[in-house]
Amino acid sequence: EIIAPGTPIQIYWVGPIDHGSAERGIKLASAGAIVKCTVTTHDKVVQLGTDGLSSNVYTLRVDPLLDCDGVCINEHPISAKIIIRTMKAQKPGDYLIQHIVHLAVGETSSTRLRSGGDVTIGAKYLEAVRLMHRHTGKLYRRYFDKDGDEVDGDQILGAARQRRETKFGRLHEGLWKKLLKASDEDVHEVMKMCTNRANRVLDQGIVTGKGIKVAVWEAGPSNTEGLVFAGRYTDNPEPSDHSRLVSAVIKTANNPTEPRGYAPDCELYSANAFEDGALMWAISQGCTVINHSAFKRPADETGEQSEIDVVQDWMTMHPPYPTIVTAAGNFGRATDSNVKYVTCKSYNAISVGAHASSFRNDISEKRIPDWSNYRNPTSLHGDRELPIVAGPGSDISALGLTMSGTSFSAPAVAGTVALIQCINPALLEHNPTACRAIILASAGRNASNGLWTADIAAHIDARDGAGAMDVDAAVKIAQWHSPSSTSNLVPRWPRGWHHTVYASADSSVPIKSVTAFKPRIHIPSPLELGITSNAATTNLSLRAVLTWNSKVQFMARQPGSAGPGSGTGLSFLPVNLDLRLLDARSGLLAAFAATFDNNYEVLDFTPTVSWDYDLEVVEDTTQVGLVGERVNVAVAWCLFYDGEAV
């Protein structure tokens, strides 16, 4: 929950709580250090004061407490994330703040500000707040100006968007500026351009990607020594060591002296030209995984989607429903005033940043290379977050080559997608939405001990996305497909995934559950987990993820063509969904994940052992969408203990 500085934190119980045990057992910590705050008890309520605490992410920990008769109230420790944020909004007592963003709205765009950040001259301050009623669960969206007065934020943002379309049309701003200075020859060229844990899995022979078709889409390589391709778009591509190494990360020839790749038995295809024809060829071969590591600039110089981003979103929603994996880019070390954007801004692709090849559980920010692009795309509320995951990208070696870059992080994730499609063919039937959910749910290790939800709320532009890819966790999650059912009387698993199709509601429905089926998550007992002390239960973490797809509309299409055609396209979100974690016994809200502009939500929670929770997906109808629009929805979840998937 997000609270304003000075807001007291209250803990309730059905009977009186012993004051001494409350003082000893209730703590608030930031970055692992206990912060000083007053603890008072009022019969059945314990209150923690937050006066003097700065805007930050805090962990509330409640060790076993006693009632006034000396009887233990909670057998195991309980913890929760509390985010203190400076805000203009005045929150009513019966509402909790799910999400808040501070925006500077200019003539044609809105820019996200850090809490307390200054608005540039000519821009207007706007604070967007997501609220939920504590008792009814109804969602509300409110906007406030710099004085804390409520304003019509939809009108303010809509006017800026209209001015943008009037000025730039359907072109993104970077291309528009380039065309202003371009000659006819330049214009023609620009328009033409717009067309670990692996060893644990592979050594045990659990899955090797056999039967899954994977394509590498980029120019080259001409030298195929040490590589095995099931097919090539052209027999005479240009030379490229970059493409050789990208391909080798996925699969190499059966040479005992070389790394085997992440999916050593997959069918690897070389879509070896950076043109639309090569991509369409890979689709025609039935490839269900496509790796896209090479981009032409200025893809990283604008926050707007390019035409290829839109095409990739369209591809994922049509047979053979490929999961597309893209590299974030390698110009993140630019100056603060010119930090490069993530290169690929597709909604439905998996955008991958880089981490050092050795990713420990206690990793620090220094282990995320400063060259890995992380600047987020432009979005209406400024909170769209890319990349969504990180993979090993420093000093990657194979076939006598050693290079660094997100280009080699992406194929590690692409190979992992091939493994999960191989171990559970049901993933081939449910398009990339479920694959994306599983990859995100497996990425439970974060840089700087951060969490995706907390990073979003604190306006931290996370370099590692939702965390580091984990092949072992992804394969474990993929094996447990929760069947479609309207009953919760199904096997209860600490990991798994579920997929459904949902038709969006209209705004007359205050809150709508996406599916009557709520996957139930079972948290094992300490004995089952091998935990011998109460303190160790706080090393448990539950990661749950929600994903859904965007909708693509093209302004023009070639007559009779089933593909996207050559017209200008637009990829947008027809619906906004939230993820909730409910206590299975009481039905009360335990945790939630809710943002404005993403088509995925990530929930991190410290659960109670020997307990059950239900996952619920709800539509936020306060955000304008398309009524009756059908979208693919997937959830995936995984319980971790000391960083290992349970």
Side-chain angles (χ1 to χ4, degrees):
E1 183 171 349
I2 302 172
I3 63 175
T7 303
I9 300 170
Q10 295 180 324
I11 300 169
Y12 297 84
W13 179 243
V14 295
I17 302 173
D18 177 70
H19 178 74
S21 73
E23 282 193 318
R24 293 187 300 271
I26 301 177
K27 303 177 182 67
L28 202 62
S30 177
I34 303 296
V35 298
K36 187 176 181 180
C37 53
T38 57
V39 178
T40 57
T41 53
H42 306 278
D43 193 29
K44 302 176 183 180
V45 181
V46 177
Q47 182 167 295
L48 272 72
T50 63
D51 293 324
L53 296 184
S54 60
S55 295
N56 210 333
V57 180
Y58 296 86
T59 300
L60 172 67
R61 174 170 167 140
V62 183
D63 287 331
L65 302 178
L66 303 177
D67 63 16
C68 290
D69 295 323
V71 178
C72 183
I73 292 174
N74 54 310
E75 181 181 355
H76 302 287
I78 301 170
S79 66
K81 292 291 180 184
I82 303 291
I83 301 167
I84 297 180
R85 287 281 304 280
T86 301
M87 62 185 74
K88 305 292 184 182
Q90 299 298 315
K91 180 177 70 70
D94 287 337
Y95 296 82
L96 65 83
I97 295 179
Q98 291 187 318
H99 185 49
I100 183 170
V101 292
H102 309 276
L103 298 170
V105 183
E107 180 189 0
T108 60
S109 64
S110 55
T111 305
R112 186 173 65 174
L113 301 170
R114 286 189 176 272
S115 180
D118 294 328
V119 177
T120 56
I121 296 176
K124 180 180 294 186
Y125 178 87
L126 187 66
E127 188 171 276
V129 183
R130 287 279 304 276
L131 299 165
M132 187 184 79
H133 195 280
R134 293 185 184 276
H135 306 300
T136 66
K138 186 176 179 180
L139 300 173
Y140 298 87
R141 187 160 45 108
R142 297 289 184 266
Y143 296 94
F144 301 87
D145 63 16
K146 61 182 178 60
D147 299 318
D149 297 326
E150 189 166 353
V151 295
D152 188 344
D154 290 329
Q155 188 277 328
I156 294 171
L157 292 170
R161 173 179 282 177
Q162 183 61 48
R163 291 191 295 268
R164 181 181 188 84
E165 290 186 0
T166 300
K167 184 174 182 179
F168 303 126
R170 290 293 180 177
L171 296 177
H172 62 64
E173 184 176 354
L175 180 56
W176 181 83
K177 291 179 178 178
K178 194 177 187 71
L179 292 177
L180 284 181
K181 304 176 182 179
S183 65
D184 290 343
E185 183 179 348
D186 291 331
V187 171
H188 173 73
E189 187 62 29
V190 170
M191 290 304 185
K192 187 172 69 174
M193 191 177 71
C194 286
T195 34
N196 237 339
R197 288 172 175 160
N199 288 341
R200 181 182 304 174
V201 174
L202 297 175
D203 290 347
Q204 294 176 0
I206 299 173
V207 61
T208 59
K210 187 175 182 179
I212 303 301
K213 296 182 177 181
V214 183
V216 173
W217 180 37
E218 62 178 88
S222 57
N223 178 4
T224 61
E225 184 180 356
L227 299 171
V228 178
F229 290 117
R232 302 168 74 198
Y233 173 63
T234 174
D235 292 330
N236 298 296
E238 64 183 69
S240 172
D241 284 345
H242 181 279
S243 182
R244 272 178 57 77
L245 186 54
V246 168
S247 302
V249 170
I250 299 172
K251 176 181 179 176
T252 61
N254 189 15
N255 185 339
T257 64
E258 288 286 348
R260 303 166 61 195
Y262 280 80
D265 289 333
C266 75
E267 297 178 25
L268 187 61
Y269 289 77
S270 181
N272 50 20
F274 195 63
E275 57 187 49
D276 289 351
L279 177 59
M280 296 303 296
W281 172 83
I283 295 297
S284 70
Q285 301 304 304
C287 294
T288 57
V289 185
I290 295 176
N291 186 85
H292 186 188
S293 285
F295 284 84
K296 294 182 179 179
R297 307 187 79 176
D300 58 358
E301 295 177 359
T302 174
E304 301 296 322
Q305 280 195 319
S306 68
E307 188 71 13
I308 195 59
D309 293 329
V310 178
V311 169
Q312 288 182 150
D313 277 345
W314 186 91
M315 292 285 189
T316 63
M317 301 310 302
H318 293 80
Y321 306 106
T323 295
I324 299 177
V325 184
T326 65
N330 307 319
F331 296 93
R333 64 162 58 99
T335 61
D336 289 341
S337 61
N338 190 32
V339 174
K340 299 300 182 182
Y341 291 93
V342 169
T343 52
C344 172
K345 303 162 191 74
S346 298
Y347 280 106
N348 303 335
I350 299 176
S351 175
V352 185
H355 69 67
S357 298
S358 174
F359 198 107
R360 306 183 308 275
N361 291 338
D362 60 346
I363 191 165
S364 67
E365 187 70 24
K366 294 178 181 178
R367 304 297 288 173
I368 304 296
D370 59 3
W371 42 257
S372 182
N373 285 22
Y374 64 93
R375 187 176 178 182
N376 293 326
T378 302
S379 67
L380 186 62
H381 297 89
D383 67 345
R384 190 175 172 211
E385 186 69 33
L386 292 179
I388 68 172
V389 73
S394 295
D395 298 324
I396 304 302
S397 297
L399 304 181
L401 302 169
T402 299
M403 301 183 197
S404 295
T406 59
S407 292
F408 314 109
S409 307
V413 175
T416 303
V417 173
L419 295 182
I420 65 175
Q421 289 182 353
C422 177
I423 203 164
N424 195 335
L427 286 166
L428 297 172
E429 304 167 11
H430 293 294
N431 69 64
T433 307
C435 291
R436 188 157 48 100
I438 291 171
I439 292 297
L440 284 168
S442 70
R445 296 170 294 161
N446 293 84
S448 300
N449 197 31
L451 297 174
W452 185 87
T453 307
D455 285 346
I456 288 282
H459 287 187
I460 296 173
D461 199 348
R463 292 173 180 262
D464 66 335
M469 59 169 284
D470 186 325
V471 180
D472 181 56
V475 170
K476 287 178 177 177
I477 296 169
Q479 293 178 72
W480 295 93
H481 180 202
S482 185
S484 297
S485 170
T486 57
S487 170
N488 285 336
L489 300 178
V490 296
R492 303 172 302 170
W493 305 315
R495 60 182 180 272
W497 63 280
H498 175 68
H499 174 272
T500 190
V501 177
Y502 171 68
S504 57
D506 60 49
S507 58
S508 65
V509 182
I511 182 172
K512 182 178 179 182
S513 181
V514 168
T515 173
F517 174 62
K518 301 173 184 177
R520 179 154 291 180
I521 304 171
H522 174 62
I523 309 301
S525 68
L527 181 62
E528 292 173 301
L529 292 167
I531 299 175
T532 57
S533 69
N534 276 340
T537 60
T538 58
N539 293 333
L540 279 173
S541 62
L542 176 65
R543 162 66 62 88
V545 171
L546 160 69
T547 58
W548 67 99
N549 62 272
S550 70
K551 179 178 176 62
V552 174
Q553 290 180 338
F554 285 94
M555 304 300 292
R557 184 172 290 154
Q558 295 172 350
S561 171
S566 59
T568 301
L570 178 68
S571 181
F572 63 96
L573 302 185
V575 63
N576 187 35
L577 305 177
D578 296 340
L579 183 61
R580 297 180 176 181
L581 185 71
L582 307 177
D583 184 306
R585 301 186 190 183
S586 67
L588 296 176
L589 182 69
F592 61 85
T595 58
F596 285 109
D597 300 335
N598 292 292
N599 66 329
Y600 70 101
E601 300 289 352
V602 179
L603 183 155
D604 292 296
F605 179 68
T606 303
T608 300
V609 293
S610 305
W611 209 263
D612 289 338
Y613 298 91
D614 291 334
L615 278 179
E616 181 182 41
V617 179
V618 297
E619 180 184 358
D620 171 20
T621 57
T622 67
Q623 198 158 330
V624 178
L626 298 179
V627 178
E629 184 65 34
R630 292 170 66 84
V631 292
N632 290 282
V633 179
V635 291
W637 63 94
C638 187
L639 180 67
F640 293 87
Y641 177 60
D642 272 346
E644 296 278 349
V646 173

